[in-house]
Amino acid sequence: MTDVPSRPADRVWLLHLSSSLPDAGTVARIHAAPAQHTLALTVVVAPDDEHIALVPAEKVPAGSLATVARRHVEQIAEMLLARLAEAPGPVVLAAVDRMTQLAAWQALNVHDDLIATNSLDSAIRVARLLERGETPDRVLHPPPFDVSLSVADAGLGPAASAVSTVTVSGRTPAVGEPWLALGDRDERGDLDVRTGSMSRRGAKAVASLAGTRRRVPATAERRLVIGPANYAGQGYEWARSVREHASGWTARNVHVAPASSRLAFQADLPLTAVQWADPATRVSLAVELLADSTDVLIEAMRPLLAVADASESVSAWDPRRGREDVEALRATGRRVALLFHGSEVRRPAHHLRLTPWSPFYRRENEDLTAQLEQVTERVHEAFMDFDGPILVSTPDLVDHVPNAVWLPGVVGPASFAPTRPALTESRPVVAHAPSNSALKGSECIDPVLRDLHRRKLIRYRRLHDLPSMMIPSMVAEVDVLVDQVVMGNPGVLAGQAMAAGRLVVAHLPEGVRRRMKPRSPIVEATPATLEDIMVSVVENREHYSRLAACGTEFARTHHDGRMSARVLTEAFGG
């Protein structure tokens, strides 16, 4: 998204795009939205089933509408872009179903002033922000802790009525003394900051924060902070699960991501690593997120505040800084637990002993293996003598972190949306969507699935770099997901596929399967057996369709957030 100049709020358009006719109440809400121009468009398929039109809801002909299919998406996107070209300013689009969302994603790639949402409620909220004078770029990429974009100041949540006092001194911290000291858990969350070791610019920026800082108070008895990794958006999902399923608790997460990250995941407080490294940002983070906290979950042994390093070059991935934060937070009386996601703690040599299909120490993966040996050694060293609770996001990691407790990943409600049964067609659609090809065994998976596609036994879709908002729609379009065949870990994508009733094929050693009760319906496959398994799936579609349907209930048990909220709160003694 490129920077755009500020535009008057009265030039905002709001479009509602759907594959079915919206009811009269919805149309009335669309036209009452705070925008210069509002339009409810419905995708209407022509009698030839090939051509489509985007018709205002008020002009849709009476009678039932033909089904909008994936083959129509390109036309929808082209017609949508033609409409967008008429807009004099920002456009807020509510694409409310699977096919219109696929079209919206294509339009987003070429239209800088488009803000796409998946519901009318979200679109109206965005329109209100634009009405207040915000630009599309600031709505999509807000600066950290920008008061004008906060939920409180938008009038959508409780007022920012609590305060913390930030005391700033120019002295240099003594050896072993933090530059940022957070008040005790049972106090009001005041901060003491020492700027003597900072750059001139950094010290001046922090000095500007001295005095009383307001914040939104958390009223729950237990107040959890999760961060800063948020891998696969799980930090956000765990926080949401605690808010929804744990009585007496609230939770928020922070995500510190590389500035060059290609994938964005939802977070309560998103930051780039460059933003986070600024000491002034970390002071604001302490006020906004940690001052009220009673419990803190540190992800991947990464620092939340880096209280021992006030430099602007501090690494957001340094496990030593993470451990220093752990001890500083514990010293204030806050309960602290650790959470590990995978590659940062999965030692390659130990993994090779657990499964003969391990991708490590193969010639083609020598550089990756060497890198992970160094990373995992530093992380293990950092938490070696930690005596608090430790959680892991996949059950295979219990083999790498003794005494750890499995915290299941969470898939959002969209993954459980009703869809057609899997494997009802003679030529099933099979997908592989690796987040890291080397760690998924893609070099073994791709040739098999491409050959089966060439033989017209399956339709193969190779997916990569999927935006998180698009994954439920994409998964619902396939019959089978081949997740991985070398690592032995069930990841978030497998959970999303099971929630949608898709058949999941992956390598899970018996020891990992025993940790999941009831037993996982994931079909076992390795590089040696994948082709035979896929041929069996094609030849026995009815059997595997029933197995795929079992995945939905398994996902509800493990991955809808209830179990995760229970595991989290129990880990903190809640």
Side-chain angles (χ1 to χ4, degrees):
M1 179 67 67
T2 56
D3 291 335
V4 294
S6 178
R7 293 178 172 85
D10 62 2
R11 299 177 70 184
V12 175
W13 282 22
L14 186 146
L15 302 185
H16 182 278
L17 185 62
S18 61
S19 299
S20 59
L21 185 64
D23 60 40
T26 298
V27 173
R29 290 185 64 214
I30 295 166
H31 293 317
Q36 176 204 27
H37 180 63
T38 58
L39 188 59
L41 294 173
T42 301
V43 181
V44 176
V45 180
D48 63 8
D49 198 37
E50 291 296 329
H51 297 86
I52 61 101
L54 301 186
V55 180
E58 299 86 348
K59 298 182 179 180
V60 173
S64 60
L65 297 177
T67 300
V68 179
R70 187 180 177 85
R71 63 181 176 276
H72 301 127
V73 168
E74 294 287 344
Q75 288 186 66
I76 298 172
E78 290 176 4
M79 293 184 177
L80 175 61
L81 285 168
R83 288 276 188 174
L84 296 176
E86 303 170 5
V91 179
V92 183
L93 172 66
V96 298
D97 53 60
R98 186 185 311 155
M99 296 306 161
T100 59
Q101 287 167 8
L102 292 172
W105 173 242
Q106 294 187 25
L108 281 168
N109 289 328
V110 296
H111 198 288
D112 282 347
D113 284 355
L114 176 63
I115 302 175
T117 69
N118 59 8
S119 71
L120 178 58
D121 287 340
S122 297
I124 291 173
R125 291 191 184 99
V126 172
R128 285 174 180 157
L129 288 172
L130 295 173
E131 183 185 32
R132 292 171 183 266
E134 297 298 344
T135 65
D137 196 48
R138 283 172 61 84
V139 171
L140 290 170
H141 308 286
F145 323 120
D146 186 289
V147 176
S148 67
L149 285 180
S150 71
V151 171
D153 287 1
L156 302 175
S161 57
V163 296
S164 290
T165 299
V166 179
T167 302
V168 179
S169 72
R171 74 178 182 88
T172 300
V175 176
E177 183 181 31
W179 68 271
L180 187 160
L182 194 62
D184 289 348
R185 180 190 68 187
D186 297 327
E187 297 178 359
R188 54 185 273 171
D190 293 342
L191 277 72
D192 288 324
V193 184
R194 303 162 185 89
T195 63
S197 61
M198 296 179 189
S199 68
R200 179 182 177 85
R201 189 212 66 82
K204 290 181 67 175
V206 169
S208 71
L209 300 174
T212 299
R213 314 298 302 177
R214 68 189 185 93
R215 53 185 169 79
V216 177
T219 57
E221 181 181 354
R222 301 291 291 273
R223 302 174 295 278
L224 172 64
V225 171
I226 302 174
N230 197 41
Y231 296 141
Q234 286 303 289
Y236 174 82
E237 292 294 347
W238 286 318
R240 179 182 63 82
S241 298
V242 168
R243 291 194 298 267
E244 293 181 0
H245 301 297
S247 177
W249 285 73
T250 189
R252 288 191 292 173
N253 91 298
V254 60
H255 183 192
V256 179
S260 59
S261 178
R262 292 177 297 175
L263 297 178
F265 295 100
Q266 195 163 4
D268 295 315
L269 280 178
L271 294 168
T272 68
V274 174
Q275 291 170 325
W276 172 86
D278 187 330
T281 298
R282 286 183 272 160
V283 171
S284 297
L285 175 61
V287 172
E288 182 77 13
L289 198 66
L290 288 163
D292 253 354
S293 66
T294 58
D295 305 85
V296 182
L297 182 65
I298 298 287
E299 295 179 280
M301 209 68 242
R302 288 176 51 185
L304 270 174
L305 299 172
V307 297
D309 189 342
S311 71
E312 294 168 52
S313 60
V314 62
S315 171
W317 285 265
D318 189 338
R320 296 172 303 164
R321 299 303 182 215
R323 182 57 189 269
E324 290 161 351
D325 280 3
V326 167
E327 297 310 316
L329 290 165
R330 295 177 94 183
T332 67
R334 290 171 172 83
R335 304 172 187 88
V336 179
L338 306 182
L339 182 281
F340 296 105
H341 287 265
S343 292
E344 80 278 15
V345 78
R346 186 185 290 112
R347 282 174 159 158
H350 188 51
H351 189 266
L352 185 61
R353 289 191 288 268
L354 293 170
T355 173
W357 305 108
S358 175
F360 303 121
Y361 302 101
R362 296 180 182 177
R363 179 175 301 176
E364 64 270 23
N365 294 333
E366 286 180 350
D367 291 344
L368 175 63
T369 301
Q371 176 191 353
L372 290 179
E373 283 179 328
Q374 294 180 7
V375 169
T376 56
E377 188 61 32
R378 294 176 66 206
V379 169
H380 276 269
E381 182 180 347
F383 78 87
M384 181 171 52
D385 58 348
F386 179 74
D387 60 358
I390 301 179
L391 306 172
V392 290
S393 66
T394 55
D396 66 297
L397 292 178
V398 175
D399 292 319
H400 298 265
V401 186
N403 301 318
V405 174
W406 176 35
L407 172 64
V410 177
V411 302
S415 294
F416 290 96
T419 186
R420 62 171 179 82
L423 297 163
T424 55
E425 301 294 331
S426 60
R427 191 179 176 188
V429 177
V430 180
H432 177 51
S435 54
N436 184 314
S437 295
L439 297 183
K440 297 294 186 178
S442 299
E443 75 280 3
C444 303
I445 295 170
D446 282 328
V448 170
L449 298 186
R450 286 175 181 146
D451 179 62
L452 294 175
H453 178 91
R454 181 185 56 79
R455 292 157 56 187
K456 299 189 182 303
L457 294 177
I458 66 169
R459 300 181 190 275
Y460 180 35
R461 291 185 184 169
R462 178 63 143 82
L463 308 174
H464 57 88
D465 290 347
L466 289 178
S468 57
M469 68 171 285
M470 302 300 297
I471 289 176
S473 294
M474 291 295 188
V475 167
E477 292 295 310
V478 309
D479 295 288
V480 182
L481 172 74
V482 179
D483 188 31
Q484 53 78 26
V485 293
V486 295
M487 286 302 291
N489 67 317
V492 175
L493 186 59
Q496 291 173 309
M498 285 189 288
R502 308 298 96 181
L503 186 71
V504 178
V505 176
H507 169 46
L508 296 183
E510 183 59 29
V512 174
R513 290 182 180 273
R514 284 197 297 266
R515 293 180 185 130
M516 296 184 288
K517 298 177 182 179
R519 196 170 176 86
S520 169
I522 294 176
V523 177
E524 176 64 21
T526 67
T529 64
L530 178 61
E531 181 175 0
D532 289 342
I533 290 295
M534 292 309 303
V535 171
S536 176
V537 168
V538 173
E539 294 176 347
N540 300 278
R541 294 191 307 278
E542 185 175 342
H543 165 74
Y544 284 103
S545 179
R546 291 195 299 269
L547 187 61
C550 295
T552 302
E553 187 58 34
F554 180 89
R556 288 197 187 280
T557 300
H558 292 86
H559 301 299
D560 70 355
R562 292 172 299 164
M563 179 180 290
S564 300
R566 184 174 69 252
V567 171
L568 268 171
T569 55
E570 288 177 355
F572 285 102

